[in-house]
Every structure is written in structure tokens, then in C-alpha cells.
Amino acid sequence: MSHGPIYLDSQASTPVDPRVLERMLPYFTEQCGNPSTAEHQHGEAARRAVEESRQSIAAALGCPSEKEIIFTSGATEANNLTLLGAFADRPVSERHFITSAVEHSSVLEPLAYLKRGGAQVTLLPVDGGGRIDPEQLRAALQPETTLVSVMFANNEIGTLQPIKEIGRICRAAGILFHCDAAQAVGHEALNIEELQIDLLSFSAHKFYGPKGIGGLYVREGIAADSLQPTQFGGGQERGLRPGTLNVPAIIGMATALQLAQEEMQQTNQLLRQMAKELFNGLQQAFPKLRLNGDPEHKLARNLNITIPGVEASALMMMLKDELSFSAGSACSSVEHKPSHVLKAIGLSDEECFQTIRLGLSPGINAGKIARLLQRGIAAAPTFID
Ligand SMILES: Cc1ncc(COP(=O)(O)O)c(C=O)c1O
């Protein structure tokens, strides 16, 4: 990406790593078999490649068995399958879900749909850094609680949730724990078994894999009737997600995850350094800048910054030819509603609209970005002092 603006939106999506693309290419052309048609060599080769990918993803995530990985089109689908499929044979009015106020819309929207049908939904508040209190979760559990869904890392402010404690509480209470880890897989060391997670969603395009592929980890020990399919057809993926598998994308996802795991420590060290340099550079010029999120429990690549007096959308427009970044939230900026995540950590509507999200990636020049942003902020129309 040598021409055009510098890409600073790695939490929205990432480019496919060339090493990933190279592994994928043959599966678009000569290796065209359908993995469900294993009676001939083409089908058998595709099936083998898919199963090797499944094994490698399972190993990277600390799953005891590769059978626990279900391929989906991404984290949105994995989240929907979990929430709509959990104990789907029970009447909706007898289902109770616990989640946090800062979840992604692909968790909050299916829950809103279930709530309209009569389900009970408990939304846990978060502290000023965006973390839930595990004790509040414990207190919210009821005998009829169907499932707890709490994200690993937030897509706007990068905050990491206390997943280990949540896993322990849910397992002790015998209640299913789902974790939307779309922002964490490939970026944070995580071991599903150790964390006592029952269901976990992930998405390849967040870790330098292709778009349109992801997965759901479904713990083998959970009863078959705990998770019901929401789509029906050819019976693929243990019947939970029927449809012909996207072979090149699955191979790309497995390759991308393997590379991300190998390079994670070094990459995160680099990104943390970069984030520090960039934020310090900006804060020296504009001491009123505020960093959102939990400074201690945070994704390395996230910088979510409130710039008092500067409207984020105006700044984005001004710098559009130089930098591609997002306002507080890519999704809510479309609707031009204040971000529910920023509201949950206590920002006013006005502050929400004065907030930008920078998603860092290796290879960018933090000093240059700080200079471009400084110039933009200095020239942006100001609304308050
Ligand atoms: C936390 C979180 N959950 C879910 C999703 C949806 O993922 P996908 O793009 O794979 O549907 C995203 C991506 O924006 C995300 O950040």
C-alpha cells in the first residue's frame, strides 16, 4: 500500500498477508474439489486440506479436539448461531441471557430480537475503562440463565475483559459461556480450555486472513441439545452450519492464524511502542487529549482518543487523502448515533462525536502519523475550548 492514504483501521479489517494468499491460490483453481465429495482425488485433497486447517486452528486456540471447530462466514454468523441456537428448543420466554453493555452489534442485535420474542436479557454495566465486574455477573446468574456472552476484547476501545474469572464463575454454575473473540484471536495469547470457555467466535479478516471466513468453537462436552442449528441443508459442520465449505478461505485462515501466533509477541511489543510514541506525540501538542479504555488491560493495536473541541467526522474528512481511520465506531458512525461503547464508559454524546479510533499495524510510521494528525487537529474547526 505505497500510494494513497495510510491505513490506520486494523480493527475494522486487515490486508491478507501475501504468505496467506500464496497458500490459498491453488484452491481457487486446480484444487477445486468439494470437501464433502471425497470419493475422488480432488474432493479428497480438499477434505484433507480443510481437516488439516481445522487441526491447526484447534491447536492454536488450545482446543482439546479439532472436532470442536465449526467453520462459519465470520464472527457475526458465529455470534448469531450461538445466541439464536442456544437451547432453541426451550420457549423464548424461558431463556435468560447475560451480556455486557459494550458488546458488538452482532451480539446485541440477536439478543434484542430474542428480547422482542419474550426472552430476558441482562446487560451488565462496565467501569470507566470498559470492563465488567465479575461479581456483578455472579449476582446476575439465575437458575434459568441460558448463556453468558462476554467479548474478549472490545472493537472500539480495545479493552480486554476478565475472561478467566468469567469462565470460572460460569463453569462453577454450570452455565454456558460464549466469548466473542473476533478482536483477540491472532492478537492475544488465549487457551480456550484453560479459560473454561464453552463457545468462542473468531474471524480471519481481523488477523491478516481473508474476509468472509471465521468460526465457532463448540466445546465437545456440551450436550448436543444445548446448541441447535439455525440453518438446514447438507449437514456439514456437525449439522450446525450446513453449506459447501469455503476451502481457500479456510486454508487462508489457518495459515494466517499460525503466522499470527508465531509473531504475536514481537508484533505486540512493536505495536505497544508505536502506540506510546503516537499518543505521546499527539498529547504534547494537545494536552487535553484523552485516551479511552483500560490502560492496563488493552489490545496493543488500539488507540481510542477523545479530542475535546474537534469533531471526529470533520477531522476524518480533512485527512481523508492521508489517513484512513475511523470515528469512535465504524458501525455507529454510519447511523451517526453516539457509540454505545463510549456512552457505556461515561462519555457524553458530544465527547462521543469528538472521538477517533486508530488501529495500528506493523510497518506504519508512528512519527509521520502523529505529525499528520497534529496538522489536522490544529486546522480542524473547534466547537468548544
Ligand atoms: C468484536 C467483534 N465481533 C464481531 C465482529 C463481526 O465479525 P465479522 O466481520 O467476521 O462478521 C467484529 C467485526 O467488526 C468485531 O469486532
Side-chain angles (χ1 to χ4, degrees):
M1 271 200 258
S2 52
H3 299 293
I6 300 168
Y7 188 67
L8 264 188
D9 208 8
S10 63
Q11 282 193 265
S13 198
T14 55
V16 172
D17 186 306
R19 296 168 291 180
V20 169
L21 180 63
E22 197 186 332
R23 283 292 316 279
M24 291 171 69
L25 284 175
Y27 293 91
F28 284 108
T29 51
E30 66 264 31
Q31 296 288 4
C32 63
N34 185 327
S36 301
T37 319
E39 297 86 26
H40 51 61
Q41 287 193 17
H42 281 82
E44 172 56 23
R47 195 194 60 79
R48 208 175 321 114
V50 164
E51 292 317 315
E52 280 168 14
S53 299
R54 202 189 297 280
Q55 277 167 17
S56 132
I57 292 169
L61 299 179
C63 313
S65 159
E66 74 275 5
K67 289 197 206 100
E68 299 175 305
I69 301 293
I70 303 292
F71 293 120
T72 65
S73 63
T76 297
E77 188 186 346
N79 290 343
N80 272 267
L81 170 57
T82 299
L83 298 161
L84 302 178
F87 295 102
D89 52 356
R90 282 189 200 162
V92 180
S93 59
E94 288 173 22
R95 294 182 227 163
H96 170 232
F97 298 87
I98 302 176
T99 191
S100 86
V102 294
E103 297 299 309
H104 190 262
S105 54
S106 57
V107 166
L108 294 177
E109 289 298 317
L111 287 177
Y113 168 80
L114 289 166
K115 195 172 172 184
R116 289 194 293 276
Q120 261 194 80
V121 179
T122 303
L123 215 58
L124 297 171
V126 293
D127 64 18
R131 299 187 104 209
I132 68 155
D133 175 356
E135 287 314 311
Q136 282 191 339
L137 164 67
R138 195 198 300 276
L141 293 174
Q142 297 172 18
E144 66 275 21
T145 302
T146 312
L147 175 125
V148 169
S149 181
V150 177
M151 70 200 324
F152 202 107
N154 187 268
N155 46 301
E156 294 187 39
I157 55 176
T159 299
L160 304 172
Q161 294 292 350
I163 297 299
K164 200 168 182 173
E165 285 98 309
I166 300 170
R168 205 182 299 133
I169 291 169
C170 292
R171 189 63 58 85
I175 287 168
L176 289 185
F177 172 34
H178 166 251
C179 180
D180 172 2
Q183 291 288 339
V185 165
H187 298 280
E188 291 292 314
L190 70 90
N191 183 301
I192 287 179
E193 201 183 15
E194 274 173 31
L195 293 169
Q196 307 192 70
I197 294 169
D198 296 306
L199 299 132
L200 178 135
S201 307
F202 54 97
S203 177
H205 74 102
K206 307 290 187 185
F207 52 87
Y208 301 87
K211 294 173 180 58
I213 188 72
L216 180 66
Y217 159 82
V218 182
R219 188 163 71 83
E220 212 175 5
I222 69 173
D225 62 356
S226 301
L227 186 69
Q228 309 262 335
T230 55
Q231 296 177 58
F232 302 89
Q236 291 92 340
E237 302 303 274
R238 291 163 52 191
L240 283 170
R241 203 280 188 165
T244 300
L245 291 171
N246 186 344
V247 181
I250 289 169
I251 287 152
M253 174 159 68
T255 310
L257 185 55
Q258 197 182 344
L259 292 168
Q261 295 282 119
E262 285 164 15
E263 296 165 8
M264 187 182 289
Q265 228 181 349
Q266 212 183 345
T267 304
N268 280 348
Q269 218 173 347
L270 179 77
L271 294 176
R272 250 178 237 118
Q273 187 55 36
M274 226 181 237
K276 211 163 146 187
E277 192 186 330
L278 182 43
F279 186 70
N280 289 347
L282 287 176
Q283 212 181 25
Q284 266 164 22
F286 305 98
K288 287 183 184 165
L289 291 192
R290 277 204 328 266
L291 188 61
N292 298 311
D294 187 305
E296 213 184 308
H297 306 98
K298 192 175 180 53
L299 288 172
R301 68 190 182 286
N302 174 277
L303 270 180
N304 187 294
I305 303 169
T306 301
I307 313 165
V310 172
E311 199 178 331
S313 56
L315 184 65
M316 276 170 70
M317 281 307 290
M318 283 178 58
L319 291 171
K320 161 161 119 22
D321 293 334
E322 281 129 334
L323 295 176
S324 292
F325 61 94
S326 129
S329 158
C331 316
S332 47
S333 63
V334 173
E335 296 174 42
H336 210 68
K337 277 204 315 225
S339 144
H340 68 283
V341 174
L342 299 177
K343 292 288 288 179
I345 59 169
L347 269 65
S348 66
D349 285 7
E350 197 169 48
E351 287 168 324
C352 291
F353 290 120
Q354 298 174 353
T355 298
I356 60 170
R357 179 186 68 176
L358 308 178
L360 312 185
S361 45
I364 58 171
N365 179 334
K368 181 174 176 187
I369 293 162
R371 284 193 296 281
L372 286 168
L373 280 166
Q374 277 175 20
R375 210 189 63 209
I377 296 169
T382 52
F383 297 96
I384 53 167
D385 183 41

